[in-house]
Amino acid sequence: YLGPQPKFSELGLSTFSHMEPEIRVNDNQLEIKLKCKEALKFTHQLIDCRTDKDLSEYVFTQTLHGVVSFIISFPESDWYKFQIFALPQGDESKSEITVMLFPF
């Protein structure tokens, strides 16, 4: 299932930069922005689909004025899967919820 996952809107998230779940990448960098209604903590995972290698270190995340930005610098031209996970800021649970899934 691509794009927003079932808990996406329940956590007060909305798309800000990309409305469609499939994104075409024309160069080696991409920025995805989401709006947050409440304070959330995020993690992410960038996977090279050909090698199944985790390349999450190529993603920079920042939050400013209720907008979280994921800036992805792709190491090479390939097929990737990008997952975004979130939990409410005060939630001490260790199991984050998948809120968005993108193929590139």
Side-chain angles (χ1 to χ4, degrees), residues 1-9 19-22 81-84 98-103:
Y1 185 73
L2 302 177
Q5 301 298 297
K7 295 284 185 182
F8 186 80
S9 58
M19 306 306 168
E20 297 297 321
E22 288 191 42
K81 175 176 72 171
F82 183 60
Q83 287 182 271
I84 301 171
T98 303
V99 293
M100 197 76 151
L101 176 61
F102 291 103

Side-chain angles (χ1 to χ4, degrees), residues 46-58:
L46 179 66
I47 301 292
D48 183 320
C49 293
R50 184 178 47 81
T51 64
D52 209 31
K53 185 175 179 184
D54 186 339
L55 301 172
S56 297
E57 68 269 17
Y58 289 92

Side-chain angles (χ1 to χ4, degrees), residues 29-65:
Q29 195 168 56
L30 172 69
E31 184 173 14
I32 296 172
K33 294 182 178 183
L34 304 176
K35 287 177 112 174
C36 310
K37 288 184 180 177
E38 60 183 77
L40 299 172
K41 50 187 174 184
F42 291 93
T43 59
H44 57 269
Q45 189 174 42
L46 179 66
I47 301 292
D48 183 320
C49 293
R50 184 178 47 81
T51 64
D52 209 31
K53 185 175 179 184
D54 186 339
L55 301 172
S56 297
E57 68 269 17
Y58 289 92
V59 182
F60 173 75
T61 306
Q62 71 178 19
T63 304
L64 183 63
H65 305 299

Side-chain angles (χ1 to χ4, degrees), residues 71-91:
I71 302 167
I72 306 166
S73 297
F74 299 100
E76 60 184 279
S77 183
D78 212 339
W79 289 100
Y80 296 94
K81 175 176 72 171
F82 183 60
Q83 287 182 271
I84 301 171
F85 307 93
L87 275 178
Q89 192 71 39
D91 192 326

Side-chain angles (χ1 to χ4, degrees), residues 11-26:
L11 289 172
L13 290 166
S14 59
T15 54
F16 190 73
S17 62
H18 295 83
M19 306 306 168
E20 297 297 321
E22 288 191 42
I23 300 172
R24 293 197 119 213
V25 179
N26 296 321

